[in-house]
Amino acid sequence: MNKGAAGGLGGGAGSGPTAAAAAAAAQKQKTLLQRVEGDIANIVDNFNHLVNVARVNDPPVRNSQEAFMMEMRAARMVQAADSLLKLVSELKQTAIFSGFASLNDHVEERRIEFNQLAEKTDRTLSRVGEEAAASLKGLESHYSSSVQKIIQNPQP
């Protein structure tokens, strides 16, 4: 994970939902990193103990105790590995859902942009229609005055 990105998210001068989301994301990233470090340390620690206990000794009682310790350490390693798998799954879900959120934000931005463009186009079409109507009215008056002149003064 990128530790620099978490510091850059909350460093802005903004407030509101974006700043709150950035702070929540930074906190979640910190929590997830702590879980990863804890689970990995748990696996390494239990593996070290497992290797130390795995030495073969002569007394049979000691061997059975060591076998029990090995089973316990192996079970703890499995639990830590399971915790890491759950963490990976959670990270995948977070990535998917945050991807949908950013996609929704982008769609909303584009929708607003297109609505503004549609309003601008409507205004332009109205202006062009008004200009065309004014030009048509002028042409009609010119035509009707021309027709009246022809009717009043017919050409031989």
Side-chain angles (χ1 to χ4, degrees), residues 97-137:
F97 292 135
S98 68
F100 283 141
S102 66
L103 181 62
N104 287 340
D105 291 343
H106 180 69
V107 167
E108 183 64 21
E109 289 172 5
R110 294 292 287 177
R111 186 190 64 79
I112 291 169
E113 182 181 323
F114 286 134
N115 283 343
Q116 291 171 348
L117 185 60
E119 290 173 5
K120 182 180 176 184
T121 303
D122 287 344
R123 286 192 302 269
T124 303
L125 286 174
S126 291
R127 185 178 46 82
V128 168
E130 290 169 1
E131 290 174 4
S135 296
L136 186 58
K137 195 170 196 172

Side-chain angles (χ1 to χ4, degrees), residues 3-101:
K3 291 182 181 180
L9 287 174
S15 62
T18 305
Q27 180 62 34
K28 184 166 184 152
Q29 184 180 21
K30 183 179 177 184
T31 303
L32 293 175
L33 284 172
Q34 289 173 346
R35 280 180 54 191
V36 167
E37 290 171 358
D39 288 342
I40 290 175
N42 192 359
I43 289 173
V44 170
D45 183 49
N46 283 307
F47 183 75
N48 284 335
H49 282 89
L50 187 67
V51 170
N52 287 336
V53 171
R55 295 187 183 129
V56 177
N57 291 322
D58 289 334
V61 173
R62 184 157 170 93
N63 283 340
S64 64
Q65 288 175 346
E66 289 174 350
F68 175 74
M69 290 293 291
M70 288 174 57
E71 287 178 22
M72 183 188 67
R73 294 295 178 172
R76 287 184 183 172
M77 286 178 61
V78 169
Q79 288 173 347
D82 184 52
S83 177
L84 282 174
L85 287 174
K86 288 178 183 176
L87 178 65
V88 168
S89 177
E90 185 178 333
L91 287 171
K92 287 179 181 179
Q93 288 176 351
T94 301
I96 289 170
F97 292 135
S98 68
F100 283 141

Side-chain angles (χ1 to χ4, degrees), residues 129-145:
E130 290 169 1
E131 290 174 4
S135 296
L136 186 58
K137 195 170 196 172
L139 287 172
E140 285 176 348
S141 66
H142 180 71
Y143 175 74
S144 59
S145 67

